[in-house]
Amino acid sequence: PHQERGNKATRTTLEKQQHRTTMGNSASASNLPALQTTAVSTADMMGTWFVIAVKPTIFEKTCSNAVEKYSLMWDSDDDKKKTSSKFDINIDFQYNSDEPIESKLKALPQKGWVQGEDKTVSGDWKVSPLYPIKMPFLILEADKNCKDYTVIGYPSRDYCWIMSRKPVMKESTYNMLTEKLTKEHQYDLEGLRKVPQKWTKEEREKRGLTVEEVPNSVLTTK
């Protein structure tokens, strides 16, 4: 019962958020052009991503150690044809509610659907944290083969996510991406917050992350 009440509250929050964004994205409310996505290999986007900065949803205003893990739900042409009634990507999203490590660990599992005729290459996904809500997930930027960074946008530009394959990002890369958001994607970055990423060996193991994902060089002590 407690879980059911929690899901209902989350669903209500998401529906209100989606409604506000849809209204704000109407032609009468904004003259901004539609966001242009970057088509990337869906397989290359899989794996672990650390949220470096976010123009946050209501769930992310104080979060830290935010990590998203994407897993592909198909590996053959036949499977890809069957996913129209299922989903393409399993999304494991976990984060600390406030301070890294010490605050409550929360999870918001999601499902993803790759848009377009060719699901192997796309910059346009739909993501659902709860049925029946499906929210746009637009890949605006990514480096070659998605080995380093990606930027995810939202049609109204109310939200964005700057993510990295490691818990740290070079300042030059971060500055380059924020400049692209403002100059190429017409984002207003007021409200953008850097997400604290603080990791110990114990926390890395607790969260099921590898040394490759959280190198020893970025670890700290409590």
Side-chain angles (χ1 to χ4, degrees):
H2 292 293
Q3 182 65 39
E4 184 177 347
R5 285 198 295 271
N7 285 345
K8 285 181 178 179
T10 301
R11 184 179 291 109
T12 300
T13 300
L14 287 166
E15 286 172 345
K16 289 180 178 178
Q17 177 178 293
Q18 188 177 39
H19 175 72
R20 286 198 304 269
T21 303
T22 301
M23 294 298 290
N25 205 36
S26 65
S28 60
S30 174
N31 293 320
L32 292 173
L35 286 170
Q36 299 300 305
T37 62
T38 296
V40 300
S41 163
T42 302
D44 286 347
M45 277 290 290
M46 298 303 102
T48 300
W49 291 99
F50 296 85
V51 184
I52 301 299
V54 61
K55 197 170 181 184
T57 64
I58 194 170
F59 304 103
E60 301 164 300
K61 292 185 181 295
T62 61
C63 74
S64 63
N65 280 15
V67 181
E68 301 198 6
K69 295 182 181 180
Y70 304 148
S71 300
L72 205 55
M73 302 305 293
W74 39 257
D75 57 11
S76 71
D77 289 338
D78 287 340
D79 284 339
K80 281 180 286 186
K81 293 175 183 176
K82 296 176 184 176
T83 56
S84 58
S85 60
K86 299 179 182 179
F87 60 100
D88 301 311
I89 301 162
N90 183 69
I91 302 173
D92 176 14
F93 177 39
Q94 296 187 29
Y95 58 95
N96 288 106
S97 59
D98 199 334
E99 293 298 317
I101 302 174
E102 302 297 332
S103 63
K104 184 177 181 180
L105 182 63
K106 294 191 173 184
L108 187 63
Q110 301 168 65
K111 297 176 180 179
W113 290 263
V114 182
Q115 305 299 290
E117 292 185 8
D118 184 1
K119 291 177 179 289
T120 64
V121 179
S122 179
D124 185 4
W125 299 1
K126 297 286 186 184
V127 168
S128 175
L130 284 172
Y131 178 83
I133 297 167
K134 286 186 179 181
M135 305 178 77
F137 181 105
L138 306 178
I139 303 172
L140 304 183
E141 300 289 340
D143 66 297
K144 185 177 180 180
N145 299 326
C146 305
K147 297 292 186 184
D148 186 15
Y149 63 80
T150 190
V151 178
I152 307 304
Y154 198 80
S156 67
R157 296 172 173 82
D158 284 343
Y159 317 113
C160 68
W161 295 262
I162 297 175
M163 299 193 291
S164 173
R165 290 296 191 181
K166 298 289 189 292
V168 295
M169 176 179 280
K170 292 180 181 178
E171 196 67 20
S172 58
T173 302
Y174 180 80
N175 291 337
M176 177 267 291
L177 294 175
T178 54
E179 184 174 355
K180 281 179 175 287
L181 277 169
T182 56
K183 292 186 177 180
E184 297 182 19
H185 302 292
Q186 297 82 44
Y187 256 86
D188 176 356
L189 292 183
E190 181 178 357
L192 182 75
R193 63 178 291 262
K194 285 192 173 183
V195 177
Q197 293 281 352
K198 180 181 178 182
W199 295 89
T200 61
K201 181 179 179 181
E202 293 74 20
E203 191 68 11
R204 178 176 67 190
E205 293 174 355
K206 173 185 172 183
R207 299 278 293 270
L209 297 165
T210 67
V211 175
E212 288 71 27
E213 292 165 333
V214 183
N216 289 332
S217 60
V218 307
L219 296 179
T220 184
T221 56
K222 285 189 178 180

